[in-house]
Amino acid sequence: MSETVSLSLHGQVAVITIDNPPVNALSHSVRKGISDCLAEAAKDDNVKTVVLYCAGRTFIAGADIREFGKPPQSPSLREVLSQLDSFRKPIVAAIHGTALGGGLETALCCHYRVVNSDAKLGLPEVKLGLLPGSGGTQRLPRLIGAERALDMMIGGKPVDATTATAWGISDECTDDEILQAAMDFAKNKIDVEKLPRVSANKVADIEDDFFAAYRKKIAHRTRGFAAPERIVQCVEAAVSLSFEEGMRKERELFRLCRDSDQSASMRHLFFAERQVARVPDVPADTQVREIDNLAVIGAGTMGAGIALACLNAGLNVSLLDKDRQGLERGQATIEKLLSAAVSKGRQTATQMREQLSRLELIDDYQALADADLVIEAVFESMAIKEEVFSMLDKVCRDGAILASNTSTLDIDRIAAATSRPADVIGLHFFSPANIMKLLELVRGAETSAEVIATSMRFARQLSKIGVLVGNCFGFVGNRMLYGYGRENQFLLLEGAAPEHIDKVLTDWGMAMGPNAVGDLAGLDVGYKVRQERTDLPADSRYYRVADMLAEQGRYGQKTGRGIYLYTDGSRKPTTDPEVSDMIRQEAKRLGVEQREIGNDEIIERCIYALVLEGARILEEGFAQRASDIDVVWANGYGFPRFRGGPMFYADTIGLDKVDEAVCRFRERFGSQYWSASELLERLARDGGTFGNLANKE
Ligand code: 3H9
């Protein structure tokens, strides 16, 4: 047998047990083990039925992602599944935890599926740039219809046990111990004369224009991303071809996905998002502090969003603001967001009341005496933050963690306002704080390992991804954003229309274009930060367009006009000829010659500016590894996951090519912005990659 799969006999029921921690992935030894056990059970006359079961915390969570890109080893999953599909004795899959990807595909080849009531079932391959490649695209539509199958495969979100049972993916849902329930099912509820086979079903009828309409529905979510379209093609095959022909189509398209840069990029992010929590000098057994009582200071948009994120995670939250009006505004923001969740059916009114019962409004710092963690989210000004932290130092108990949500300011200066800098950390949330996954943890010179470990766990508690970053201006995300935004600004002056730049970058995969983002965030915000900075380049062109718009009160969506126009309260941007005129005149005044600008130039200048700044951040030691930077950009700035993040993307292009472009831009636009990064130059010269740099750590 194999070291990960065993066979045991319980009367006439044979149990195949997979034990391949942590998630029972279908590694080679598992595939081989299942295949051997099936052969054994087939020839043993005492065996009347078979149960496929997994030890540990979950049913099979999919193919072993670590094996992709390595030489294939027989038997392949497809081979095992066709053995399962033609198996004569009844087989029941006993599902607890998660049955994902190849795991659900395996279960779909069994005659029956019994699931625990808290199990989840899904085909999330799309999140790895793949499609279900072991029959999932052919079997699932035959079981639950084309539309539901497409929603599951293109959304990538698993369904819960109740839904799976209602849709017919599962035959029985149980609260009992799963192995026993599946064995009982195998003994008592099977009609051996009429064993069901998903592959023998026909896909339920659909409307003639179904696929055209479906493609239209998903178009905005899938720009530039190949896997969803290929999934649609597989389901078209499931509807129109025989099972065998459909399987051939699926295999052909699966291979295209598997061997693509897009899938390599998404697999990179999958592992990067798990590696990011590892901090070399903060070992896994570092003590963490309990966080039961949490306080947020400042009830503005950001403070209210942070408070809501914490309420959503089940924590008790005190929201402090200096005046009653501010507090009421904060509470109203939270109630509005919660009511929206209720009306969209995401939660019930009872849940909303329970959440609000954990929110306390306070206007007195003395009430913070028992807080375990305080997050300051007041106006972005050093003087105000220093005042807040010196107050916190006076009222908070020993051991409380004092965090600042600053997006740019020096965390060491903030910590110096207290007598306990080891307890001070930056917790930089991204707007809207209750939605965005990213949380930058800004490490000050004296922040303790315990505070870092507790903050990492806190990020997980909020279902966010915590990334530890160093204390430089803008930290990792916003520091890189400066270069990206600067190129956008220069391109505007040089003659590229805002809607052209935005379209090129969104077609490339960015969630939004930089000009639409500026209008959404508010052009006054960046303007104020630039006014406070003393280290900006002495260049009259630098962020000139954004400054002019802000000076004219064109702050973006909130004033109905920014770089775009928003009529009648709409969020839909339209081109404003006044702005085009204004940019043209300003370019003339500054002596910038306007010209036709191609799509490639827009992408290269904006994206390579990110890569160059990322390289500098790495060489200065403000990020632990290149993949952490990718995690920041994929989760906080809408960088397309199918490009893996800026640093992985640069590796994919080849650092020699990136460096060559950087040199070209330096010559054309000056070394002030495109100055060399020693790290990038060295890697380009030696044929290295940012990724390998991390592996050598
Ligand atoms: C597929 O099936 C293709 C087929 O259609 C066709 C094939 C021909 N492989 O997330 P966690 C590791 S594609 C290898 O922290 P959780 C993970 O790296 C696959 N390793 O735990 C981590 O390792 P480490 C479709 C895997 O409890 C550890 O397990 N399936 C795999 O928060 C714990 O992971 C998926 O896409 C894997 N498949 O969440 C499911 N999965 O400790 C992907 C996990 O060294 N997995 N690891 O950092 C998940 O969504 C989550 O891991 C899961 C558990 C929900 C299962």
Side-chain angles (χ1 to χ4, degrees), residues 562-581:
I563 197 154
Y564 294 115
L565 213 50
Y566 303 85
T567 34
D568 304 327
S570 155
R571 287 165 171 223
K572 199 170 174 302
T574 48
T575 304
D576 187 346
E578 237 180 69
V579 171
S580 319
D581 260 6

Side-chain angles (χ1 to χ4, degrees), residues 104 108 123 135-146 148-150 152-153 169 198:
L104 180 56
L108 290 177
L123 292 175
T137 66
Q138 302 306 299
R139 288 193 179 88
L140 197 61
R142 283 178 162 79
L143 195 58
I144 64 172
R148 283 175 175 166
L150 276 170
M152 276 180 74
M153 293 189 283
I169 303 176
V198 176

Side-chain angles (χ1 to χ4, degrees), residues 26 57 60 198-199 355 393 474 491 496 532 557 598 642 689 694:
L26 288 157
R57 61 175 155 131
I60 304 164
V198 176
S199 51
Q355 275 165 311
D393 194 35
L491 286 161
E532 284 217 0
Q557 285 194 14
F642 64 81
T689 61

Side-chain angles (χ1 to χ4, degrees), residues 22-23 57 61 63-66 102 105 125 128 132-134 274 278:
V23 296
R57 61 175 155 131
D64 187 338
I65 307 169
R66 288 173 210 273
E105 290 176 301
E125 285 87 343
L128 299 168
S134 289
R274 282 151 183 85
R278 295 188 189 120

